[in-house]
């Protein structure tokens, strides 16, 4: 069993079935999800015998290494899992609060050409407790409250759908850390069935769609998933998400020099997205990875791209390069570690 993945009701059922009084479940849940204890032995007001038992059911992450930026306070964590796999998570301090970026899987099977996380394929899904504990561990280590959570690290969250939903319910639970739904973003390469299902979960989190191209042919060159679903299918699912939740969808567009960063690309993107407003485009100058020879778009082409979208009444931001002095592109910290030590 995995005690930190249980909802309040499930924990209560489990503990009363085992013959414990109901209030033990409340105490345990509060220790785990509010006081963020790192191990069962820290739950001081529980009987020793119960704490001992929970040791076997305790799943979480432990810090393996960390890179800290001297420039802007970004911290990149490499966490070790119980089976010795490692994952990356990032802590980013902003003026409006601390934001964390977490991984949803060990590896990924989506195969996006510019992404380091997918090179060796999918290893396994993360449990809800492993998703949560990335947030809990960072908040505890940094000693400050997390206010925003983005599921944008390694992995495809909708390829780990049930654990994702369980994680989101625990993360937003008022008896736990109680992160506001509107401060959570889930990023997907675009799985339409799951987007529609997500729209029905009664959880108004922000959906981010990784677009990276304005038409199917070009998108297929960068993202294998585009062979399975056309842009129209995915964008319709996003519109449905907006209609159901009232949350404006974010479109992510990684700018790769000479591949998708020209004025013509911007024009075509603007034309395509015009009918999907209100929306928001987040431009990300691509982080080059050594396994591929994609290059970062120049500042000038990024600015020009932004200008063209804005001229078409599309809301645009450029992702700020956090932690540029410790820069390891998405998934690179883990890859470097594996190549060195495993
Ligand atoms: N699988 C999900 C979430 C993980 S990737 C998704 O595809 O959205 C998070 C974002 O980072 C995606 O937009 C992804 O396309 C982008 N990304 C991945 N590798 C990148 C790189 N090397 N440079 C810039 N963006 C990258």
């Amino acid at each position: 069993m995995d005690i930190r993945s249980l909802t309040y009701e499930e924990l209560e059922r489990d503990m009363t079935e085992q013959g414990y009084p109901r209030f033990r479940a409340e105490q345990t849940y509060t220790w785990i999800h509010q006081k963020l204890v790192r191990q069962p032995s820290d739950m001081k007001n529980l009987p020793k015998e119960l704490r001992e038992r929970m040791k076997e059911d305790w799943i979480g992450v432990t810090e393996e290494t960390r890179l800290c930026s001297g420039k802007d306070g970004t911290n990149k964590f490499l966490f070790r899992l119980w089976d010795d796999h490692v994952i990356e998570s990032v802590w980013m301090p902003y003026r409006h609060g601390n934001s964390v970026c977490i991984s949803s899987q060990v590896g990924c099977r989506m195969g996006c050409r510019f992404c380091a996380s997918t090179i060796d394929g999918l290893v396994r899904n993360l449990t809800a407790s492993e998703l949560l504990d990335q947030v809990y561990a960072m908040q505890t280590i940094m000693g400050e409250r997390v206010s925003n959570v983005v599921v944008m690290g390694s992995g495809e969250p909708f390829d780990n759908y049930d654990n994702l939903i369980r994680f989101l319910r625990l993360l937003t639970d008022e008896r736990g850390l109680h992160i506001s739904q509107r401060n959570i973003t889930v990023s997907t390469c675009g799985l339409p069935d799951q987007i529609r299902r997500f729209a029905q979960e009664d959880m108004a989190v922000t959906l981010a769609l990784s677009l990276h191209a304005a038409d199917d042919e070009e998108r297929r060159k960068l993202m294998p998933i585009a062979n399975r679903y056309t842009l129209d299918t995915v964008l319709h699912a996003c519109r449905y998400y907006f209609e159901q939740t009232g949350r404006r969808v974010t479109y992510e567009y990684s700018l790769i020099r000479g591949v998708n960063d020209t004025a013509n690309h911007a024009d075509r993107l603007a034309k395509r997205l015009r009918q999907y407003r209100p929306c928001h485009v987040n431009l990300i100058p691509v982080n080059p990875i050594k396994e591929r020879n994609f290059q970062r778009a120049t500042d000038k082409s990024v600015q020009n791209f932004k200008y063209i979208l804005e001229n078409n009444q599309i809301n645009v931001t450029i992702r700020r390069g956090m932690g540029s002095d410790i820069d390891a592109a998405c998934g690179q910290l883990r890859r470097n570690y594996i190549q060195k030590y495993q």
Side-chain angles (χ1 to χ4, degrees):
M1 220 223 328
D2 169 9
I3 201 161
R4 295 163 98 196
S5 285
L6 298 182
T7 63
Y8 191 89
E9 292 73 22
E10 288 168 342
L11 185 68
E12 202 171 52
R13 200 177 324 128
D14 182 71
M15 292 191 101
T16 46
E17 270 169 15
Q18 287 186 59
Y20 293 104
R22 207 171 283 270
F23 73 91
R24 290 292 181 211
E26 189 187 338
Q27 288 175 324
T28 305
Y29 195 88
T30 306
W31 279 119
I32 295 177
H33 299 287
Q34 233 173 54
K35 300 184 182 165
L36 312 187
V37 283
R38 302 299 305 148
Q39 56 208 12
S41 58
D42 295 340
M43 301 193 265
K44 299 296 180 207
N45 57 1
L46 296 189
K48 188 142 192 255
E49 158 271 331
L50 177 57
R51 287 186 264 160
E52 280 301 316
R53 264 208 220 184
M54 284 182 191
K55 275 188 186 160
E56 280 168 36
D57 302 327
W58 195 265
I59 293 178
V61 303
T62 51
E63 182 182 336
E64 178 67 30
T65 48
R66 176 158 41 124
L67 298 176
C68 315
S69 162
K71 264 190 186 163
D72 56 27
T74 298
N75 278 248
K76 278 206 164 190
F77 288 83
L78 194 72
F79 285 122
R80 178 176 292 279
L81 309 175
W82 65 271
D83 55 3
D84 281 344
H85 289 301
V86 289
I87 52 169
E88 274 178 45
S89 323
V90 189
W91 170 277
M92 293 164 287
Y94 288 104
R95 236 168 297 138
H96 61 262
N98 298 306
S99 188
V100 296
C101 174
I102 64 162
S103 293
S104 55
Q105 296 178 311
V106 183
C108 182
R109 57 178 179 152
M110 295 299 140
C112 297
R113 300 280 305 147
F114 44 82
C115 179
S117 307
T118 198
I119 292 173
D120 292 327
L122 176 67
V123 178
R124 70 166 173 88
N125 279 331
L126 295 181
T127 60
S129 50
E130 288 166 332
L131 291 163
L132 269 179
D133 205 30
Q134 296 172 65
V135 181
Y136 293 177
M138 285 190 278
Q139 172 157 323
T140 306
I141 293 166
M142 300 304 291
E144 281 179 39
R145 207 182 144 73
V146 167
S147 58
N148 291 67
V149 175
V150 299
V151 188
M152 245 184 224
S154 295
E156 167 51 45
F158 286 161
D159 192 32
N160 185 15
Y161 189 87
D162 293 343
N163 290 332
L164 173 78
I165 299 300
R166 181 174 278 277
F167 155 72
L168 292 173
R169 297 216 187 282
L170 289 165
L171 186 69
T172 55
D173 184 3
E174 58 187 14
R175 287 164 298 204
L177 211 51
H178 199 192
I179 304 269
S180 153
Q181 292 179 351
R182 50 184 55 243
N183 290 354
I184 299 174
T185 300
V186 173
S187 175
T188 177
C189 65
L191 307 179
D193 297 340
Q194 283 89 327
I195 293 174
R196 287 175 183 273
R197 202 172 149 201
F198 197 45
Q200 302 290 340
E201 297 283 358
D202 199 24
M203 237 180 326
V205 312
T206 300
L207 179 70
L209 177 78
S210 297
L211 202 55
H212 308 317
D215 60 50
D216 287 317
E217 199 186 325
E218 294 199 349
R219 197 162 184 261
R220 285 181 193 129
K221 290 184 198 153
L222 296 171
M223 306 175 71
I225 195 69
N227 291 303
R228 186 119 55 99
Y229 306 107
T230 64
L231 264 180
D232 277 337
T233 312
V234 180
L235 290 169
H236 283 148
C238 290
R239 177 185 287 151
Y240 179 75
Y241 187 82
F242 171 70
E243 287 165 0
Q244 292 297 309
T245 64
R247 302 292 295 162
R248 187 180 72 167
V249 174
T250 295
Y251 295 99
E252 291 160 279
Y253 194 102
S254 295
L255 286 160
I256 310 171
R257 192 183 304 180
V259 174
N260 65 359
D261 67 337
T262 66
N264 178 268
H265 290 103
D267 280 332
R268 280 187 287 137
L269 181 63
K271 213 158 154 207
R272 184 116 207 182
L273 287 183
R274 225 179 280 158
Q275 50 179 318
Y276 293 100
R277 285 175 299 180
C279 67
H280 171 232
V281 174
N282 194 11
L283 298 175
I284 318 162
V286 80
N287 266 314
I289 59 173
K290 62 174 185 294
E291 290 82 358
R292 311 261 186 269
N293 50 15
F294 288 127
Q295 291 179 326
R296 187 184 291 258
T298 61
D299 287 350
K300 194 166 165 238
S301 65
V302 176
Q303 288 302 336
N304 196 37
F305 208 94
K306 176 171 188 262
Y307 179 76
I308 292 170
L309 293 178
E310 280 173 345
N311 262 349
N312 284 277
Q313 287 78 50
I314 291 171
N315 212 289
V316 191
T317 48
I318 297 174
R319 184 177 299 172
R320 221 172 92 207
M322 296 288 279
S324 55
D325 53 332
I326 51 166
D327 217 345
C330 319
Q332 281 275 260
L333 183 58
R334 170 169 173 263
R335 276 195 72 72
N336 292 344
Y337 181 86
I338 291 172
Q339 282 162 1
K340 216 154 129 192
Y341 299 107
Q342 291 186 345

